[in-house]
Amino acid sequence: MDRDAYHNCSSLVKMPRQSYEQFWSSHFVEYIDKELSYSKFFRKYLLPNHPCMFSRRFTEDWKCRKQWVTEEGKPNFQKLLQEFDESPVPVANCNAKEYNANPKQVMPLKEFIHYWKEYIQNGHSSPKGCLYLKDWHMSRDFPDHNVYTTPVFFSSDWLNEYWDTLEVDDYRFVYMGPKGSWTPFHADVFRSYSWSANICGRKKWLLYPPGQEDFLRDTHGNLPYDVTSAELQDRGLFPQFEEACQPLEIIQEAGEIIFVPSGWHHQVYNLEDTISINHNWLNGCNIDIMWQFLQNELSSVQKEIEEWRNTMDSWHQHCQVIMKACSGIDYSEFASFLKIVAENRMAFLNACSSGDSSDYSRHLSETLTALGPYHAAFDLQRVAHIIECLLCNEDFKRLDHSTSTLQPETLLQQIRDTIQSTRGQHLLYQE
């Protein structure tokens, strides 16, 4: 990566998010059908937090686009059964509502494929409802399959880097659903970015930019389950609905990849029998959005159990426990997440100086090398900024850090030392 791509990026990501008015007036998403440098994607889409669509040429060499799809462009059930016959997969019922989501069950893939075939033969209907295979960790369960390659634009992925290090989870998913299956209104986990590639089939996306979701809340502050429901017209239930902008409607064709930015609430429909691959991901461009999300989550928990504050010695710790149960992470794990990201980049920059790359994994080495030392330096500056925010946060100060393998203050100093030492070796951009 060239130095200019990251020149003054630290100040850019600290600025208020760009107004969406000019973008919204055009009411379309830019379509990328030619070579695009990572630097341009970084400046034009990641930093300003704008969606875009990549053409099918970016997926045409993927094995799954050839092996999982028939000549007619339909799901290749025979091939899927050959590869994943007995594999347990999570399946949601789109006709049932559980809170603001669909209830799930786990079944062998062959059972879901059997259902799907019958569903098609019966005119895309079934007494079992409309079932949708969602959030299947296919890459984690079958690491040697290599049926697709993450495009370089989405490779600065702290979220999966962290979970790969722990070897317990990931945020890489396969979705398979018949025509008519859909996902209710939501924003992605931790307010992460997401990218979604249609292996076959077509989707319709309804997207709202950050902040518009507040106009869609009911009188209790809850977001709608279905943003197209007629009940949103009831001003007694949804008093601010008329103030919301119209959603950005996008049709995604087979082979295309959509980039969904941080905090953009969306609702998605499968217009045909569809298979897609989806990743959630975070990096230095949206880590501040994740940090704000975590603060909001904790604040909500604290308000819910405020009445017990003075009766529990460990009230603040209980808030962290509840927060993790609801959102999947607490402040301590967030600090550990930042630590791993920082240590990997410090090792990479030190290796750039010494020529020794033995301190970190081959896969991560390839990713960091492809993005270059300027990107690693940018990442470190973003981590340092968030750690500084943590150290000033009263709720974080209350946590017990005595058992941590590395104190936040120590980590922050190590980051500063690395930035300073590599600056002299011309690895960093000028400020």
Side-chain angles (χ1 to χ4, degrees), residues 64 66-86 108-122 124 131 133 136 174-179 181 199-201 272-276:
C64 57
K66 301 171 183 177
Q67 298 176 359
W68 293 5
V69 185
T70 67
E71 292 182 359
E72 295 76 27
K74 304 296 183 182
N76 190 331
F77 295 134
Q78 181 178 358
K79 183 63 176 178
L80 292 169
L81 288 172
Q82 286 176 356
E83 294 191 16
F84 309 112
D85 187 33
E86 295 286 347
L109 180 79
K110 66 177 183 180
E111 184 177 333
F112 176 74
I113 295 294
H114 177 74
Y115 155 82
W116 197 352
K117 288 180 177 179
E118 288 191 340
Y119 190 84
I120 294 172
Q121 292 168 0
N122 199 35
H124 286 89
L131 303 185
L133 189 163
W136 177 28
V174 169
Y175 282 49
M176 299 184 185
K179 176 182 178 180
S181 52
I199 307 310
C200 65
E272 300 175 354
D273 297 312
T274 302
I275 300 175
S276 64

